[in-house]
Amino acid sequence: MRRLALVIAVLAACGDDDSGGGSIPIEDLDGALMNAFCNLYVACGLIDDTATCRSLDIDLATDPNVIAAVQAGKVIYHGDNARACLATLAGTSCDRNALDRGDPEACDLMFEGTVAANGQCALDEECLSQQCDVLSCPDACCQGTCFGDA
């Protein structure tokens, strides 16, 4: 789903194992996600080691617009769901079909919108429905409209 793509776009650097419990603060999300993916890639033999993983130019940075929306109160970040998402990813089988099956549900629940149907939005994550209809326009900051409440 689009949210996991944004989350995957969040990652910055491999580091220590993030298998502990509790909520992941949003400022730690990039590193925690990178850890999870580096560990999975190494375990599945896709990358030789975590040092190699860290050296790759993997585009896994959190969308700064989503972070700004969290800070502005238009999006609620659930660090407990982020932890559950990482735990699910850590338990993913290396079977190619398992890797292609889609996003764990907890990953889809990391971000919760606060804008109801017909409200102004710029990102899917801002909407209760996770669906923001932004029409094409020449400006970089065009606003869209949320459709649906769930």
Side-chain angles (χ1 to χ4, degrees), residues 9-31:
V10 172
L11 307 174
C14 295
D16 298 329
D17 180 22
D18 284 300
S19 59
S23 181
I24 298 174
I26 196 162
E27 59 272 7
D28 296 340
L29 182 58
D30 287 357

Side-chain angles (χ1 to χ4, degrees), residues 65-131:
N65 295 316
V66 173
I67 301 294
V70 169
Q71 293 169 342
K74 290 186 103 178
V75 174
I76 299 167
Y77 167 70
H78 296 284
D80 54 335
N81 288 335
R83 176 70 66 196
C85 172
L86 293 182
T88 301
L89 290 173
T92 299
S93 165
C94 292
D95 177 290
R96 172 96 173 127
N97 291 329
L99 293 172
D100 291 338
R101 265 187 221 133
D103 309 333
E105 183 180 1
C107 298
D108 290 338
L109 299 174
M110 270 193 270
F111 298 105
E112 176 185 352
T114 62
V115 181
N118 301 315
Q120 260 194 339
C121 58
L123 307 165
D124 288 338
E125 290 78 12
E126 293 176 338
C127 301
L128 292 172
S129 65
Q130 299 291 307
Q131 297 178 355

Side-chain angles (χ1 to χ4, degrees), residues 41-58:
Y41 294 159
V42 170
C44 292
L46 300 172
I47 295 176
D48 290 335
D49 53 53
T50 56
T52 301
C53 181
R54 289 182 199 124
S55 71
L56 297 175
D57 186 21
I58 301 173

